[in-house]
Amino acid sequence: MTLRRTSRYLPRTCPLLLAIFLLILSEQLTRVASEYDPYKILGVGRSASQAEIKRAYKTLAKEWHPDKNKDPKAEDMFIKVSKSYEILSNEERRSNFDRYGQMDENQPFGQSQHHGFRSFHNSFYFDESFFHFPRSRDFADSKYLLHHAQFNSDVLPDSHKRPYLIKVTSEWCFACIHIEPVWKETVQELEPLGVGIGIVDLGYERRLASQLGAHRAPSIIGLVNGRVTFFHQAVVREHLRQFIEDLLPQKLVEKITDNNYLAFLDSWRAENKPSVLLFDQVPVIPFLYKLTAFAFRDYVRFGYVDQGDTHNTRLLRQFNINTYAPTMLLFKEDTEKPVDIIQARGMKRQIMDEFVSNNKFLQVPRLVNQQLFDELCPVKQFHRRRKYCVLLITGEDQAFLRGNKAFLDFASVNKKDVLRFAYVYQRQQQPLCQALLHNQAALSPQVVILERRSHAGKVLYRSVSGGWNGSEEDKYRLHEQLELLQKDPTYLTSDATLPELNNEMAPIFIIQWMNAAYDYILQIYDDLLYSNWREMMPILSLIFSALFILFGTVIIQAFSEPGESKPRKPKPKEPPQPEDDASSRANTSSRPPKKDFVEVTELTDITYISNLVKLRPGHINIVLVLTNASKNALLRKFAKEVFSFSGTQTLHFSFLNADKHRHWMPSLLRSSSGSEGYVDEDEESPDYSGHVLALNGYKKYFCLFRPVFTGDDPNDSSSETSFSSDSRRKSRSRSRSSSHSRSRSHSREDGPGSRRGSSRATSIEVHHKLDRLGLWMERLMEGTLPRLQVPAWPSLGEATNSSAES
């Protein structure tokens, strides 16, 4: 009975238990949601401005900083404050939270109703106070977090001075927890050496992760000179250290022995840099020394001397090096005596940086680029920080060495904080020297004292009178003017605007291109080796597209018609054909175009209207005038000359029989404007055979080709003149597929000829009348032929009737 009653009343108690559970759960969700409200954590309203949010964050960060607040909850509260500021300082994240209650960018929009449950789920299952489960991000990592704007403005430019080791992680990355101890040990070792450390949260910094090419966590990235390289080995401290060391450029530090140390120290004049020598007992160049050389590679040359090497005894003895501690010597113009020495057992990065930065310029450096000029002679900012630049304008020949050496000696004696000594080669920096010397070439070295007033190049300056030869009198005169300048700043009376200096040390274009190509090939090799297909897809797409286009072109040419790809050979000269055969061949119109013939139709009473009067706009009809006697020879010659133009869709080819329509040509020439020289009134029946007309039926104009003379007449001066004009047009001639060798000819188709030329045309052999038609056709296509306008086209029927009546 008891069991029955229990089972009987159990369904009634389930709704009550479920209601109690939902009530507790909703209270928990409400509490969790209010606990993780960034507005409440920072104590600001939802309409607070960015300035108010930032001010509240600074106040709470100072209050809950674990180094200042010993409360056990201070670290957790500080993390909550930092997290809330990350959300509210970013407008996109703040908008997502205001609209959807979303705090994690991995959470899709529209799922805000599950946010409280997920927070409750997180705090319950992964709270370290319950399971003692380590968090994926602790307080020590928060100072290394990188943001997209910070990376591009600070980290990326700084990577040209020091390497960066960046870890890509996320909140739900369990593999990141496994490498965390190794990562901390590596950071503790590399950060004091000067290696930059960064952490990118894959969930919160998607843009930065996409820019770096990191799409999974954990990932470790090396950043040197703006180039991103992924770490693909086992996560061991030694591997990470070697990974960063391999990313540094090669030949940062040169191995120095007794055989090459003199050449190394004497290179200050060509390199325009001081030299630093490090003496140590280890045979391998220390990593700390490489990092220092990478940071100051633009200013100082670095060399390393192994004290345990037997080839360095003379070097150690000359400079009296203590073999029990690392020693650094810095040399400038004097290669026998170092200007500064540092020796310490525990050489620190800060000490080395300070040692090099205080001596990164020569005593009298040469201005080789604008950056060096800006650092040596900075722009005046405050009255008490005046900097004067004493500039020697000299040459690089042997004759100037004595004066340059005297200027160096003067600068070594007169060292002052307000004075900077430098020299410049007039041949290398001509724009600068012309601005200071008023566009006058200096026959002897000149000394100019200047003060920069603006970044735009404005300076106040004064030239030292008398030039500079290095004599004691020149030194005294320069010293006197420098004393006057320090007493009276208005001593500089001239002003000028200096142009930007030429970069004498810039590599030539081919070297820059080769370096860029080398880096690109290394990147492709790295991506292929480690199958980074996501980054390789654009490159592979480009390669396959190029191959597809290349092979597609080859395949199309392989399957194309042989007649289109192979050049046509000139056909042998055919024997004269009967009149009927030539006429039938000329009237053929059913064959496809671009074959070995030209379609030529006869202008008759039936075809005249369609082929000329009502010709479509933009189309031109090329008409050959012939007679019954010259029909066969002229048609064959006409077809050969115009064959290469037969593929043009806007050209039509016809012929007109002058025996049938003898008055059509004179009627056309009389009605045209500007054709007075073409009509011979003295001859009763002029010979127009061999004339070619380009007729534009729509615009009512035509171009005229007249037969040419191909004989040699040494007594005819006009022939020489015509030859010279034709030779100037040879550059426009083309090779025609069906042409034969012919003698030198002279054309007169460009305009009306003389009466003597017209009479000579009647005696020309028939097969030579169209020798220059190909060139005339080229000029027709170029549009350079003269056009003769007609009011209306004469009728073939009227011309025939008038002939019959006469």
Side-chain angles (χ1 to χ4, degrees):
M1 294 296 294
T2 306
L3 292 175
R4 291 179 182 176
R5 293 179 61 182
T6 303
S7 60
R8 180 180 179 181
Y9 290 100
L10 184 60
R12 298 181 180 179
T13 58
C14 286
L16 180 60
L17 295 176
L18 181 60
I20 295 173
F21 175 76
L22 292 176
L23 180 61
I24 297 174
L25 181 61
S26 62
E27 291 179 358
Q28 178 68 14
L29 294 178
T30 305
R31 182 184 64 81
V32 171
S34 61
E35 181 182 358
Y36 287 98
D37 186 356
Y39 291 102
K40 292 185 178 180
I41 292 176
L42 294 181
V44 296
R46 290 184 174 270
S47 60
S49 62
Q50 289 293 334
E52 296 175 349
I53 294 174
K54 188 174 183 179
R55 186 162 50 250
Y57 165 72
K58 288 184 177 180
T59 303
L60 293 175
K62 292 179 181 179
E63 179 183 354
W64 294 102
H65 199 284
D67 295 341
K68 298 180 180 180
N69 195 329
K70 301 305 180 181
D71 193 331
K73 299 181 180 180
E75 183 177 344
D76 293 336
M77 189 61 188
F78 183 80
I79 294 176
K80 292 180 181 180
V81 170
S82 302
K83 186 84 170 181
S84 301
Y85 180 69
E86 289 180 7
I87 296 173
L88 298 184
S89 61
N90 190 305
E91 294 295 340
E92 183 178 357
R93 297 181 189 172
R94 183 179 180 182
S95 176
N96 293 340
F97 180 82
D98 294 340
R99 293 181 181 180
Y100 311 104
Q102 179 183 348
M103 297 178 64
D104 188 359
E105 289 186 356
N106 290 325
Q107 175 186 354
F109 293 159
Q111 296 184 4
S112 58
Q113 62 271 21
H114 304 292
H115 171 71
F117 176 76
R118 187 159 54 246
S119 300
F120 170 74
H121 182 274
N122 295 348
S123 63
F124 181 78
Y125 285 98
F126 296 96
D127 185 63
E128 66 178 44
S129 62
F130 189 84
F131 284 110
H132 301 285
F133 195 77
R135 287 193 301 267
S136 60
R137 184 197 306 169
D138 56 10
F139 171 72
D141 290 343
S142 60
K143 65 178 181 179
Y144 302 121
L145 287 176
L146 299 178
H147 305 288
H148 184 265
Q150 173 198 2
F151 176 82
N152 289 280
S153 61
D154 300 334
V155 177
L156 201 58
D158 194 44
S159 66
H160 294 270
K161 297 181 180 179
R162 63 170 177 165
Y164 273 81
L165 187 65
I166 301 175
K167 180 182 70 172
V168 180
T169 183
S170 64
E171 291 186 348
W172 296 102
C173 175
F174 295 99
C176 302
I177 301 173
H178 296 159
I179 68 171
E180 191 67 24
V182 180
W183 173 260
K184 289 184 177 180
E185 292 178 2
T186 306
V187 170
Q188 292 175 359
E189 178 186 0
L190 297 183
E191 190 176 18
L193 300 181
V195 178
I197 306 297
I199 296 178
V200 178
D201 194 313
L202 193 60
Y204 289 95
E205 291 295 336
R206 290 183 179 178
R207 289 181 59 192
L208 180 55
S210 178
Q211 180 179 348
L212 294 174
H215 305 282
R216 60 185 178 87
S219 296
I220 297 179
I221 297 173
L223 181 67
V224 176
N225 286 331
R227 183 172 179 265
V228 175
T229 306
F230 281 82
F231 177 76
H232 298 287
Q233 300 179 6
V235 183
V236 183
R237 185 180 63 178
E238 291 76 12
H239 291 173
L240 291 173
R241 176 192 176 101
Q242 190 63 38
F243 169 66
I244 292 295
E245 188 171 356
D246 293 340
L247 292 180
L248 296 177
Q250 301 296 325
K251 299 182 179 179
L252 280 174
V253 182
E254 185 177 351
K255 277 291 190 76
I256 304 300
T257 62
D258 291 342
N259 300 326
N260 63 349
Y261 83 96
L262 289 177
F264 176 78
L265 296 178
D266 286 337
S267 63
W268 65 268
R269 183 176 287 104
E271 298 290 339
N272 198 40
K273 298 176 182 178
S275 302
V276 174
L277 287 179
L278 174 66
F279 296 82
D280 205 347
Q281 291 283 355
V282 293
V284 182
I285 302 174
F287 184 41
L288 174 62
Y289 194 55
K290 289 184 178 181
L291 292 174
T292 305
F294 178 71
F296 295 95
R297 67 186 185 280
D298 294 334
Y299 303 96
V300 182
R301 300 181 70 243
F302 291 84
Y304 178 74
V305 180
D306 180 13
Q307 297 180 3
D309 193 350
T310 57
H311 298 85
N312 298 327
T313 55
R314 185 179 64 180
L315 190 60
L316 299 176
R317 185 170 56 253
Q318 177 177 351
F319 296 107
N320 193 19
I321 301 300
N322 185 0
T323 58
Y324 297 100
T327 306
M328 292 182 68
L329 305 181
L330 192 141
F331 298 84
K332 292 188 178 181
E333 287 86 352
D334 189 358
T335 59
E336 297 181 357
K337 181 180 179 181
V339 296
D340 202 353
I341 302 175
I342 184 175
Q343 188 176 39
R345 290 185 178 275
M347 194 75 73
K348 303 295 183 181
R349 175 62 188 273
Q350 183 178 1
I351 299 175
M352 298 177 67
D353 288 350
E354 184 178 357
F355 173 76
V356 177
S357 61
N358 292 335
N359 300 278
K360 63 180 182 179
F361 298 117
L362 296 172
Q363 293 183 1
V364 184
R366 177 164 59 95
L367 299 183
V368 295
N369 51 46
Q370 186 65 32
Q371 179 183 358
L372 182 59
F373 187 37
D374 294 338
E375 295 191 34
L376 284 175
C377 306
V379 178
K380 173 184 173 296
Q381 297 179 352
F382 303 102
H383 180 72
R384 296 183 180 179
R385 294 185 179 180
R386 291 182 179 272
K387 298 290 184 181
Y388 299 104
C389 188
V390 184
L391 182 63
L392 172 65
I393 301 176
T394 181
E396 48 191 324
D397 299 334
Q398 293 291 334
F400 299 96
L401 292 181
R402 179 176 174 275
N404 298 345
K405 180 64 170 58
F407 188 77
L408 173 61
D409 296 339
F410 179 85
S412 303
V413 176
N414 295 272
K415 292 182 180 180
K416 294 183 180 180
D417 293 337
V418 296
L419 296 179
R420 295 289 187 272
F421 292 88
Y423 71 99
V424 63
Y425 288 149
Q426 184 176 1
R427 185 183 304 174
Q428 302 291 340
Q429 302 292 342
Q430 291 184 2
L432 174 69
C433 299
Q434 290 176 0
L436 294 175
L437 300 177
H438 303 287
N439 298 324
Q440 296 179 1
L443 301 178
S444 61
Q446 300 289 329
V447 177
V448 178
I449 306 173
L450 59 88
E451 179 187 12
R452 299 186 65 188
R453 287 303 184 97
S454 68
H455 292 281
K458 184 179 180 181
V459 296
L460 297 177
Y461 72 97
R462 182 163 184 163
S463 299
V464 179
S465 59
W468 178 265
N469 295 320
S471 61
E472 295 297 330
E473 181 181 356
D474 294 339
K475 295 180 180 179
Y476 176 78
R477 189 186 308 111
L478 177 58
H479 184 271
E480 183 180 13
Q481 294 196 18
L482 291 177
E483 293 292 335
L484 293 175
L485 176 62
Q486 297 182 30
K487 295 178 181 179
D488 184 12
T490 61
Y491 183 72
L492 303 179
T493 56
S494 303
D495 62 337
T497 301
L498 302 182
E500 186 173 353
L501 271 68
N502 300 327
N503 190 359
E504 302 178 20
M505 298 298 180
I508 60 178
F509 174 76
I510 186 64
I511 296 179
Q512 294 180 352
W513 184 85
M514 291 176 61
N515 293 335
Y518 176 75
D519 294 339
Y520 192 67
I521 293 173
L522 285 182
Q523 182 179 359
I524 295 177
Y525 173 76
D526 185 72
D527 293 339
L528 289 175
L529 183 63
Y530 297 102
S531 301
N532 192 1
W533 298 109
R534 186 189 295 266
E535 297 297 322
M536 286 295 297
M537 283 305 297
I539 302 175
L540 294 177
S541 176
L542 179 62
I543 294 175
F544 282 112
S545 299
L547 293 177
F548 177 79
I549 294 174
L550 178 62
F551 285 105
T553 305
V554 174
I555 292 173
I556 291 174
Q557 291 181 354
F559 287 94
S560 61
E561 296 184 8
E564 297 179 1
S565 59
K566 297 181 180 179
R568 296 184 178 90
K569 298 181 179 179
K571 295 180 64 177
K573 187 174 181 180
E574 299 178 357
Q577 297 180 354
E579 178 180 349
D580 298 338
D581 184 34
S583 177
S584 61
R585 177 182 173 184
N587 291 325
T588 303
S589 60
S590 60
R591 298 181 183 180
K594 295 185 179 180
K595 297 298 181 179
D596 293 337
F597 74 95
V598 179
E599 181 182 354
V600 184
T601 59
E602 183 179 2
L603 286 182
T604 62
D605 297 337
I606 300 174
T607 61
Y608 182 72
I609 299 298
S610 60
N611 287 357
L612 177 59
V613 179
K614 294 185 178 181
L615 197 63
R616 286 179 293 177
H619 288 242
I620 296 178
N621 196 346
I622 311 299
V623 179
L624 168 67
V625 181
L626 49 78
T627 60
N628 292 330
S630 62
K631 183 176 182 179
N632 295 336
L634 288 180
L635 277 177
R636 285 195 300 270
K637 185 68 173 180
F638 180 72
K640 291 179 180 180
E641 293 293 332
V642 303
F643 176 78
S644 60
F645 302 94
S646 60
T648 306
Q649 300 295 328
T650 58
L651 292 183
H652 308 273
F653 302 95
S654 306
F655 71 91
L656 177 71
N657 195 328
D659 291 340
K660 298 179 181 179
H661 313 283
R662 67 176 60 187
H663 289 281
W664 186 84
M665 274 291 292
S667 301
L668 176 66
L669 296 178
R670 292 191 189 96
S671 63
S672 63
S673 59
S675 62
E676 293 78 5
Y678 291 108
V679 182
D680 195 347
E681 302 291 346
D682 296 339
E683 296 186 12
E684 296 182 357
S685 57
D687 182 15
Y688 290 106
S689 62
H691 286 62
V692 179
L693 302 168
L695 306 175
N696 191 319
Y698 181 76
K699 292 188 176 182
K700 296 180 181 180
Y701 71 83
F702 68 93
C703 302
L704 177 62
F705 169 82
R706 304 187 68 189
V708 300
F709 175 71
T710 58
D712 293 329
D713 189 0
N715 298 325
D716 190 1
S717 61
S718 63
S719 176
E720 295 294 329
T721 306
S722 178
F723 173 75
S724 63
S725 64
D726 287 341
S727 63
R728 289 192 298 266
R729 294 196 298 266
K730 277 187 178 180
S731 59
R732 299 185 299 180
S733 62
R734 51 169 177 76
S735 60
R736 295 185 291 272
S737 59
S738 37
S739 63
H740 61 279
S741 62
R742 45 187 175 259
S743 61
R744 186 176 303 161
S745 58
H746 314 287
S747 174
R748 296 179 303 177
E749 73 275 11
D750 297 341
S754 63
R755 185 178 301 271
R756 183 179 60 182
S758 177
S759 62
R760 180 180 295 144
T762 59
S763 62
I764 301 176
E765 296 183 15
V766 175
H767 63 278
H768 285 312
K769 285 190 174 184
L770 301 180
D771 280 351
R772 304 291 289 178
L773 181 60
L775 180 59
W776 182 84
M777 288 293 298
E778 285 190 356
R779 297 189 59 190
L780 174 66
M781 302 303 294
E782 295 173 359
T784 59
L785 291 177
R787 299 179 179 180
L788 305 178
Q789 299 289 336
V790 294
W793 297 111
S795 174
L796 285 181
E798 296 176 358
T800 305
N801 294 336
S802 61
S803 175
E805 292 175 358
S806 62

